[in-house]
Amino acid sequence: MHKQFLKEEKGYVIYCRKSSESEERQVLSIESQLKELKETANRLNLNVVEILTESKSAKEPGRPVFNELIESVKKNKFKGILCWKIDRLARNPIDGASLVYSLDQGTLKEIITPQGRFQNYSNDKFMMQIEFGMAKKYVDDLSDNVKRGNRAKLEQGWIPGLPPLGYLNDPKEKITVKDPERFQLVQNMWKMLIAGYSVSQILRTANDKWGFRTRVMGKLGGKPLGLSIIYRLFRNPFYYGLIERKGEVYQGKHARMITESEFWKVQELLGSRGRARPKKNIYTFAYTGFMKCAECGCSITAERKVNRYKKEYVYYHCTKRKRNFLCPQQYVNVKDLEKQILENYIEKFWINDVLYDIIINYLDREKFNDHQSEAAKEKSHQYTLNKCIKKLKNLNRMRLEDLLGDEEYIYEKRKLLNEKIRLESKIQTEKDPNKESSNFDEFISFAHKVRYKFLNGDSQTKREILLKIGSNFLIRDKTLLIQLKKPLLALGRKVEYFNEIDWFELLKNGSFTYHYEQNHPIILSLYSWIRDIRNSLKGG
């Protein structure tokens, strides 16, 4: 903060602000603002008696220099305020209202920017409130966009922000990749801890023998590891594939450094509290980390039990960690849980072999027809575009020859340019007709293979399938509740009906030649259903 007194008599104060946050990098520096405001003061012959500057965001109240300015205004110390833009003064409703109120009460005569003046007139105060509102909306939109972007990135399996040690962000692909300098060293730290080395021994080895140093980011980093850093590292599930963010857990797509069982082994060695982990033998549980108890909101954990006949049982249950609340929810056997996943969800949208063959055959024929249709459309659009370009040339010629007035020329030109842009956009879109089709083919293939994969896959495969098909996983009264994703919901509305149809009766010659009755009501219903699913996939 810089404060400079120029003259003793009452006059104007210059206020310059630059946010210290990255979203305002495009705003002029304080020096540039000050230069322009001094030129404005000279041009308007204003008596500047004080200059106030600060580097702080205006999205929330509490700026010390601005608060000092408001206190001086209340004491009627200045005639007016000079600022580069009105949003330099406030981007929150409280600070903005204090300035409008000062004009209303007469303790401030005017606010001047290089673009204009705001005085104690109803229109001026109304425009000020609009500009403050727009500045506030900019801040809110920026925050919403950041949150939305972070959420989308998490759902795609990538961590927003800086990844833990051993990983880097690829600025080109926008994904998390291995740090070529540190990935192997961090992995060796995990191996040493599992092998029986103490955290202190690992720390000394990494710093002294390997010369391990933290990432350099600007003026920060490039230092040896500290004990707190290495403990945080060993407690981070990111290294076995999970991303924890604000109470939610997401399946990461980054390269795993360790297995889940190795992670829980380390937690047992460290004696971490507050985490569900195996008590005796290391065991991989497929469904921990993302399920919640519908009764109290606590996490769902799992236990493995072996009876006297050496038969193994796995149970899932609420951690019951909510204070002053005795959760009544009971254990649920993993076999019952997986039976529910299969019968209540997977089999609701699973496509059997016969139906899958018919759908794929229909899609193949549709692709061929679409290709023919798209080629015809592109040819038609190109012909129309050429005519539009020709009309534009003729329009310009008519204007040069004074055959059109200004208003008519502008109206016709705008109409033709809009048409030209629309046609160019359509032609560009039609150049890649198979991308959407490929996504739908993958979706149908997943729905066809999912039942077999779940029945025969390992715990990791089952976990990935469950995370792929739904969200908001809750358990209540031994029942798993899942919010299926929208395309799968659309798929499940009729799939059971079509799976049970005796398609042999509809196929000619009693074989899969696919020359079936195109106008049969069931066939028409099937085609309509496929189109509905594809539209749902576009929107969901």
Side-chain angles (χ1 to χ4, degrees):
M1 188 271 285
H2 174 72
K3 181 176 177 181
Q4 180 180 349
F5 293 95
L6 301 177
K7 297 180 181 179
E8 294 297 329
E9 63 269 21
K10 183 176 176 181
Y12 289 80
V13 57
I14 289 178
Y15 177 84
C16 301
R17 179 186 69 82
K18 172 116 172 40
S19 175
S20 58
E21 298 170 18
S22 59
E23 72 265 18
E24 288 198 333
R25 285 177 181 169
Q26 75 276 13
V27 173
L28 287 180
S29 67
I30 287 176
E31 291 77 12
S32 299
Q33 291 180 45
L34 189 57
K35 179 177 180 294
E36 189 165 340
L37 291 173
K38 284 182 177 179
E39 290 174 356
T40 301
N42 290 333
R43 176 168 50 83
L44 298 176
N45 197 26
L46 301 177
N47 177 27
V48 176
V49 296
E50 193 168 339
I51 295 172
L52 298 175
T53 65
E54 68 181 326
S55 296
K56 192 170 178 63
S57 172
K59 66 183 179 182
E60 294 177 355
R63 287 170 287 154
V65 179
F66 179 81
N67 290 344
E68 179 185 336
L69 171 64
I70 292 298
E71 288 301 316
S72 298
V73 166
K74 288 179 181 178
K75 296 174 183 177
N76 207 12
K77 184 177 178 181
F78 304 116
K79 286 183 181 179
I81 300 172
L82 276 82
C83 61
W84 180 58
K85 280 188 176 180
I86 202 75
D87 67 2
R88 297 301 86 204
L89 290 170
R91 280 191 166 180
N92 67 82
I94 295 175
D95 290 343
S98 65
L99 289 164
V100 174
Y101 185 73
S102 297
L103 285 174
D104 195 51
Q105 295 299 302
T107 56
L108 186 66
K109 180 182 177 183
E110 60 185 351
I111 296 173
I112 299 175
T113 71
Q115 296 80 31
R117 295 176 185 250
F118 298 90
Q119 297 177 334
N120 189 22
Y121 299 118
S122 59
N123 284 344
D124 287 5
K125 289 183 286 186
F126 177 65
M127 292 305 299
M128 275 182 67
Q129 289 171 328
I130 289 177
E131 291 210 30
F132 286 140
M134 290 172 63
K136 171 62 175 166
K137 187 177 187 306
Y138 169 82
V139 171
D140 290 344
D141 287 347
L142 191 67
S143 175
D144 289 342
N145 289 338
V146 169
K147 289 177 182 177
R148 190 182 301 113
N150 287 346
R151 188 163 57 248
K153 195 168 184 180
L154 286 165
E155 288 172 354
Q156 291 167 6
W158 305 111
I159 187 170
L162 289 174
L165 281 174
Y167 295 88
L168 294 172
N169 284 327
D170 184 331
K172 185 177 180 181
E173 300 294 333
K174 308 295 184 185
I175 61 174
T176 305
V177 297
K178 295 179 181 179
D179 183 340
E181 294 182 18
R182 300 174 182 84
F183 185 88
Q184 190 61 55
L185 295 178
V186 175
Q187 192 173 48
N188 290 341
M189 294 181 203
W190 285 93
K191 290 178 179 178
M192 288 178 69
L193 189 59
I194 293 169
Y197 288 86
S198 69
V199 176
S200 298
Q201 288 174 317
I202 296 169
L203 186 65
R204 285 195 298 271
T205 301
N207 289 336
D208 301 338
K209 292 186 179 180
W210 301 343
F212 192 99
R213 295 296 181 266
T214 56
R215 285 180 302 233
V216 176
M217 295 174 290
K219 297 180 180 179
L220 302 176
K223 296 180 180 180
L225 287 172
L227 200 59
S228 61
I229 294 175
I230 202 167
Y231 268 108
R232 281 201 304 272
L233 185 153
F234 286 138
R235 291 191 175 111
N236 193 342
F238 183 90
Y239 290 99
Y240 81 86
L242 283 187
I243 303 173
E244 289 185 342
R245 180 59 64 95
K246 294 183 179 179
E248 292 292 331
V249 181
Y250 301 86
Q251 183 73 30
K253 289 185 179 178
H254 54 276
R256 298 173 190 173
M257 192 175 287
I258 57 170
T259 65
E260 185 179 2
S261 61
E262 287 172 334
F263 175 79
W264 291 118
K265 174 64 176 175
V266 166
Q267 304 318 297
E268 188 175 21
L269 292 170
L270 294 176
S272 296
R273 297 178 179 179
R275 293 180 183 269
R277 63 181 188 275
K279 296 292 190 289
K280 295 180 181 179
N281 299 323
I282 302 302
Y283 189 85
T284 301
F285 297 111
Y287 312 116
T288 54
F290 58 88
M291 291 185 178
K292 299 283 186 181
C293 173
E295 184 80 25
C296 65
C298 292
S299 297
I300 296 294
T301 187
E303 290 185 29
R304 174 176 172 258
K305 303 287 186 183
V306 181
N307 65 16
R308 58 180 179 169
Y309 302 109
K310 305 300 180 184
K311 189 172 181 180
E312 179 184 285
Y313 297 89
V314 174
Y315 295 94
Y316 284 79
H317 62 88
C318 176
T319 53
K320 303 180 187 290
R321 292 186 176 275
K322 191 171 184 179
R323 292 184 179 180
N324 303 320
F325 182 79
L326 184 60
C327 184
Q329 295 298 311
Q330 300 178 349
Y331 289 69
V332 56
N333 190 299
V334 69
K335 291 183 179 178
D336 294 334
L337 198 64
E338 292 184 346
K339 184 180 179 184
Q340 292 178 39
I341 295 169
L342 192 65
E343 294 179 356
N344 297 347
Y345 299 101
I346 290 177
E347 289 186 348
K348 295 296 182 184
F349 64 82
W350 164 68
I351 296 173
N352 67 26
D353 293 342
V354 179
L355 180 58
Y356 176 72
D357 287 341
I358 293 173
I359 291 174
I360 290 301
N361 179 263
Y362 166 71
L363 294 175
D364 287 343
R365 287 187 294 104
E366 193 181 51
K367 283 177 199 172
F368 176 78
N369 294 334
D370 285 347
H371 180 73
Q372 301 284 74
S373 175
E374 292 299 332
K377 280 183 187 176
E378 185 177 351
K379 186 176 179 180
S380 173
H381 288 148
Q382 188 62 53
Y383 174 76
T384 310
L385 177 61
N386 291 339
K387 284 182 66 177
C388 185
I389 293 170
K390 188 175 180 180
K391 285 180 181 179
L392 276 168
K393 289 179 180 177
N394 289 335
L395 189 72
N396 290 330
R397 179 183 56 78
M398 292 173 70
R399 180 69 188 92
L400 289 171
E401 295 175 1
D402 288 331
L403 298 175
L404 288 176
D406 288 343
E407 289 186 8
E408 188 179 1
Y409 169 74
I410 291 170
Y411 172 78
E412 291 296 332
K413 184 176 181 181
R414 181 180 289 122
K415 189 166 66 171
L416 287 171
L417 283 175
N418 287 338
E419 178 70 5
K420 181 174 178 285
I421 292 168
R422 184 182 66 82
L423 289 166
E424 287 173 341
S425 177
K426 276 193 172 185
I427 292 170
Q428 185 62 35
T429 303
E430 288 160 359
K431 287 184 189 251
D432 188 15
N434 294 323
K435 184 177 180 183
E436 180 185 303
S437 175
S438 175
N439 291 338
F440 185 63
D441 288 351
E442 290 177 10
F443 175 73
I444 291 296
S445 178
F446 169 76
H448 172 232
K449 296 176 181 177
V450 63
R451 187 176 186 274
Y452 176 84
K453 285 185 175 181
F454 188 82
L455 285 171
N456 298 281
D458 57 16
S459 60
Q460 183 60 32
T461 300
K462 292 178 179 180
R463 179 189 188 91
E464 289 172 356
I465 288 173
L466 195 57
L467 288 167
K468 188 171 183 177
I469 69 173
S471 60
N472 195 24
F473 304 94
L474 302 173
I475 292 183
R476 184 192 293 277
D477 300 329
K478 298 187 177 183
T479 302
L480 176 62
L481 306 172
I482 302 175
Q483 186 176 337
L484 276 181
K485 293 184 177 177
K486 286 182 181 179
L488 296 176
L489 283 174
L491 190 64
R493 290 190 184 109
K494 283 192 176 182
V495 72
E496 188 174 1
Y497 165 74
F498 286 115
N499 274 341
E500 292 176 357
I501 288 175
D502 187 354
W503 292 100
F504 288 93
E505 294 296 326
L506 299 178
L507 299 176
K508 296 295 185 182
N509 305 321
S511 64
F512 287 98
T513 59
Y514 297 109
H515 297 295
Y516 41 78
E517 300 172 17
Q518 298 294 319
N519 295 322
H520 193 287
I522 294 179
I523 296 296
L524 293 175
S525 177
L526 172 64
Y527 293 168
S528 175
W529 174 63
I530 294 171
R531 288 191 291 271
D532 288 345
I533 299 165
R534 186 156 47 193
N535 290 334
S536 175
L537 193 64
K538 286 181 192 175

